[in-house]
Amino acid sequence: MQPLTHFDAQGQAHMVDVAAKSATHRVAIASGRIEMLPATLALIESGNAKKGDVLGIARIAGIQGAKKTSDLIPLCHPIALTRVAMEFTTVPASGSQAAHVWCSATAETVGPTGVEMEALTAVQVALLTIYDMCKAADRGMTITDVKLLEKHGGKSGSFVAG
């Protein structure tokens, strides 16, 4: 197991020094889902939610969340994102599987540090936005399965979840 990089030799938290790292093209893809009642999913799909276009607003919120990641995560570097893309898929209830919206975020940059945190933050903020927009209809929604799917670029190379 690799040592944690956000602690110095004395065990104090610090921002990792990336000055000597090469700028490379870096990509990260994260995903997650929000489970809900079938009626809530139907409301989202119909576009008739009281607050408006749920997935359209969640898309913008996810992009904004990626851009604000370093403001939210204390030791995260502010980075110049070159691209953030959000994808949503509505999935009806089936057997033991709850109705849900699946979300993925792809974040990209050319720089000395990765974009995993930006992709993960984008997913979380998008899913929280769906919750906020639909909570009047369904307070029992559950955000789940948020994870990094892929990461490419940089010294450590690629990671693809198994």
Side-chain angles (χ1 to χ4, degrees), residues 36-134:
M36 61 195 61
L37 296 171
T40 307
L41 184 64
L43 188 64
I44 291 169
E45 291 176 322
S46 73
N48 293 329
K50 188 175 183 180
K51 292 185 177 182
D53 175 11
V54 174
L55 299 183
I57 300 300
R59 180 180 315 281
I60 298 301
I63 294 167
Q64 185 175 352
K67 291 166 50 177
K68 294 288 190 178
T69 299
S70 67
D71 292 336
L72 300 169
I73 309 299
L75 301 177
C76 201
H77 291 86
I79 61 175
L81 293 166
T82 57
R83 176 175 176 256
V84 178
M86 305 297 301
E87 182 179 327
F88 297 93
T89 304
T90 58
V91 181
S94 169
S96 63
Q97 182 178 338
H100 64 274
V101 175
W102 177 85
C103 171
S104 76
T106 301
E108 296 187 40
T109 192
V110 175
T113 190
V115 288
E116 296 96 314
M117 295 306 299
E118 287 72 14
L120 287 161
T121 301
V123 168
Q124 291 281 29
V125 171
L127 295 174
L128 285 168
T129 299
I130 293 170
Y131 186 95
D132 179 52
M133 294 188 72
C134 297

Side-chain angles (χ1 to χ4, degrees), residues 17-40:
D17 182 357
V18 297
K21 293 174 77 178
S22 299
T24 62
H25 180 236
R26 296 163 186 266
V27 179
I29 304 169
S31 71
R33 64 191 184 128
I34 183 166
E35 296 177 350
M36 61 195 61
L37 296 171
T40 307

